[in-house]
Amino acid sequence: AKQRGKANWIRYAPGMEKPAQAHAQLGGDLRRALDAGEFRLVYQPLVDLRDGRVVGVEALVRWVHPERGTVPPIDFIPAAERTGLIVPLGRWVLRETCRQAAAWLAEFGPDALRKASPNVSVRQLHDPDFVADVRAALADTGLPANRLVLELTESAVLRGHQVLKVLHEVHDMGVRLALDDFGTGESSLSLLRAFPAAIVKLDKSFVDNIEVDEPGSAAAGARQAVARAVVQLADALGLDTVAEGIENQEQADRLLRLGYTVGQGYHLGRPVSAEDFTALLAAQVRH
Ligand code: C2E
Ligand code: CA
Ligand code: CA
Ligand code: CA
């Protein structure tokens, strides 16, 4: 059942049970990869839709496998979550994001980059060392807490008291929290009241085709309505917004008119290496 194609070497047909042995093997591979330093971060800009300036950066993990090449997160994050390896991997992602962001701030000054965001899995929030890890990552790299934004998916944070307690502790440090993929999870409204979020990221599924204005296109109309409702909700609760997955200028224009001032997506900038992101910041500082 295991496919051997380069791009999908660990993907399985939908619904198929994944053999326990393959699981265990992938878990072992991931452990070895972490020890061997095979993970890399790529960086995607968050851009002010009004003037095109980079205001933040999201760090996205890649596995640069010696034989298989670059493996995307969809092919190993689920296994890392199941095996628990997401805890040490996520710790590395957090630390490396803080280190790189602190280096960019030192090189380009405090106005060059307002914030840097790693993704955090719910499994990490259940790790008893999580709060201490965040504190240590900031202390050791010198990144000010208010420059760090942790991205969490809605569903991930719905799981009760302990997680909320952890999130409040991180929030009390001055670190901000973003609700990722907003609009796709359950009970967004009740969650927003309990959760110390500062930012909501409108999911790409509401951005796709949002520029289409065909009369009678109920789907496009519904996406516009959701996008508008999310920005109004965020305004009412004092939250910032980011619209993700922007692939053309028409979408950027439409979202700006709906009230979004910050966007992310291939049209605004693809995820790139640290070196290429450094060049992007350098070009911006010269202007
Ligand atoms: P996400 O957090 O929602 O990240 C956005 C994903 O959308 C990224 O995919 C990014 O490359 C992609 N993207 C950005 N703009 C566009 C666009 O305009 N069009 C399209 N089609 N795609 C766009 P990527 O890097 O493959 O990551 C996929 C998911 O894997 C992430 O979704 C996140 O949930 C997870 N992930 C990535 N890095 C990490 C990590 O370090 N830790 C954890 N726990 N999860 C991660
Ligand atoms: Ca994210
Ligand atoms: Ca997202
Ligand atoms: Ca996502």
Side-chain angles (χ1 to χ4, degrees):
K2 190 170 172 178
Q3 296 183 14
R4 279 282 165 192
K6 183 174 159 67
N8 55 358
W9 62 282
I10 49 171
R11 283 202 189 121
Y12 300 83
M16 192 176 281
E17 258 307 303
K18 292 156 194 165
Q21 219 182 334
H23 264 185
Q25 199 201 315
L26 181 55
D29 276 0
L30 287 168
R31 177 78 251 177
R32 184 200 53 75
L34 188 59
D35 294 339
E38 290 174 11
F39 292 101
R40 293 278 180 282
L41 295 181
V42 290
Y43 298 91
Q44 186 175 32
L46 276 66
V47 173
D48 190 318
L49 296 172
R50 296 164 299 186
D51 58 13
R53 286 186 70 85
V54 175
V55 295
V57 63
E58 178 174 1
L60 297 156
V61 73
R62 300 287 180 266
W63 179 8
V64 185
H65 192 282
E67 286 139 40
R68 287 150 182 149
T70 300
V71 184
I74 189 158
D75 285 345
F76 63 89
I77 291 286
E81 286 175 340
R82 279 192 306 268
T83 57
L85 204 85
I86 194 69
V87 170
L89 176 59
R91 189 181 292 130
W92 176 82
V93 167
L94 169 71
R95 200 162 255 278
E96 181 61 11
T97 304
C98 291
R99 189 198 61 73
Q100 184 62 72
W104 280 326
L105 287 173
E107 186 170 357
F108 298 111
D111 297 331
L113 196 63
R114 288 212 291 265
K115 56 191 181 176
S117 306
N119 289 282
V120 173
S121 289
V122 67
R123 185 87 189 242
Q124 291 175 260
L125 302 177
H126 289 286
D127 174 45
D129 295 331
F130 181 74
V131 174
D133 285 345
V134 173
R135 192 173 281 117
L138 293 170
D140 294 349
T141 63
L143 185 72
N146 65 3
R147 302 287 176 152
L148 181 64
V149 176
L150 305 181
E151 294 200 1
L152 302 146
T153 53
E154 274 182 90
S155 53
V157 291
L158 280 168
R159 319 252 168 90
H161 238 118
Q162 186 52 35
V163 163
L164 278 176
K165 183 169 165 281
V166 166
L167 293 177
H168 278 281
E169 284 178 40
V170 172
H171 176 253
D172 289 345
M173 264 182 239
V175 172
R176 283 173 293 168
L177 305 172
L179 273 175
D180 208 350
D181 304 342
F182 192 73
T184 60
E186 308 129 43
S187 82
S188 307
L189 281 168
S190 54
L191 178 68
L192 271 184
R193 285 204 329 229
F195 182 82
I199 296 154
V200 294
K201 296 188 79 176
L202 180 71
D203 190 67
K204 180 180 187 304
S205 58
F206 303 109
V207 170
D208 289 340
N209 293 320
I210 199 167
E211 75 281 20
V212 177
D213 257 331
E214 272 175 66
S217 171
R223 278 188 282 266
Q224 289 167 18
V226 170
R228 190 181 292 113
V230 167
V231 88
Q232 285 170 352
L233 178 66
D235 281 350
L237 297 175
L239 307 174
D240 289 334
T241 54
V242 177
E244 59 180 21
I246 297 175
E247 295 186 340
N248 58 55
Q249 189 58 41
E250 291 69 38
Q251 289 170 352
D253 292 342
R254 174 60 59 111
L255 287 158
L256 185 58
R257 264 186 285 144
L258 286 170
Y260 290 82
T261 53
V262 178
Q264 186 179 358
Y266 292 170
H267 176 67
L268 304 167
R270 290 194 174 246
V272 295
S273 68
E275 293 69 33
D276 288 355
F277 200 85
T278 302
L280 186 69
L281 291 177
Q284 173 161 298
V285 163
R286 282 197 299 272
H287 286 99

